[in-house]
Amino acid sequence: MTELALHYFWWVAALVLIGGEVMLPGYFMLWIGIAAAVMGGLVAVLPDMGAITQAVVFGVLAFVSCFAYWKFVRPRLERIVPVGNERLNRRGDQLIGQRFSLCEPIVNGRGKARVGDGMWLVVGPDLPLGATIEVVGIDGTTLRVKAVDVA
């Protein structure tokens, strides 16, 4: 019976780690999986590498690959923001500048406005029911508004 080459273990480990990244995204297991794949290549080239040496080299490769991600790849990805998508997944920020009607008057600085199929808490100057407001900012789930003169 032939012995299974040890580099296959590293490549299977790489596939499991990268597959885990697909199931639980976070960029952590991807880079360790890449280190395991590189380790598989090293063991294929240097088959006499001892187990302790492999473990140490793998640890170093995992650390280097994660460090390279945090230092070089992540900052570059954060700079890439498609034009017009600066507020993507930030629904409240998308409402800034839009106008709505009050569905509850603003009394003592607090009221509600209908936004789409929901109602949002608004803060601003006291205004009557049905007044037109414009969103000027957001604090958590509360919209900061100002009155709009509709003429």
Side-chain angles (χ1 to χ4, degrees):
M1 181 175 208
T2 61
E3 184 178 324
L4 182 65
L6 193 54
H7 62 276
Y8 289 122
F9 164 78
W10 288 107
W11 289 335
V12 169
L15 289 174
V16 168
L17 286 164
I18 293 170
E21 179 68 35
V22 171
M23 301 302 281
L24 303 167
Y27 292 108
F28 184 76
M29 290 186 281
L30 171 66
W31 297 95
I32 295 175
I34 290 170
V38 170
M39 192 66 221
L42 285 174
V43 171
V45 173
L46 305 167
D48 294 332
M49 189 182 296
I52 292 178
T53 305
Q54 288 180 37
V56 170
V57 171
F58 173 67
V60 169
L61 287 172
F63 177 79
V64 167
S65 65
C66 289
F67 178 78
Y69 164 71
W70 280 99
K71 186 72 175 168
F72 303 109
V73 177
R74 185 174 183 203
R76 182 171 254 171
L77 290 174
E78 288 176 350
R79 286 193 303 261
I80 301 172
V81 178
V83 176
N85 288 345
E86 299 85 5
R87 296 180 178 168
L88 185 64
N89 293 330
R90 294 170 53 191
R91 183 172 182 214
D93 287 350
Q94 293 174 6
L95 299 176
I96 294 173
Q98 293 191 29
R99 293 181 177 185
F100 303 101
S101 293
L102 290 175
C103 60
E104 287 184 18
I106 299 178
V107 178
N108 295 325
R110 299 177 83 77
K112 290 188 180 177
R114 180 160 302 282
V115 176
D117 61 350
M119 291 192 326
W120 284 63
L121 182 63
V122 297
V123 295
D126 288 356
L127 295 168
L129 177 68
T132 302
I133 53 158
E134 181 177 329
V135 179
V136 295
I138 184 162
D139 293 319
T141 59
T142 303
L143 302 177
R144 285 184 283 122
V145 299
K146 69 176 184 177
V148 175
D149 294 326
V150 181

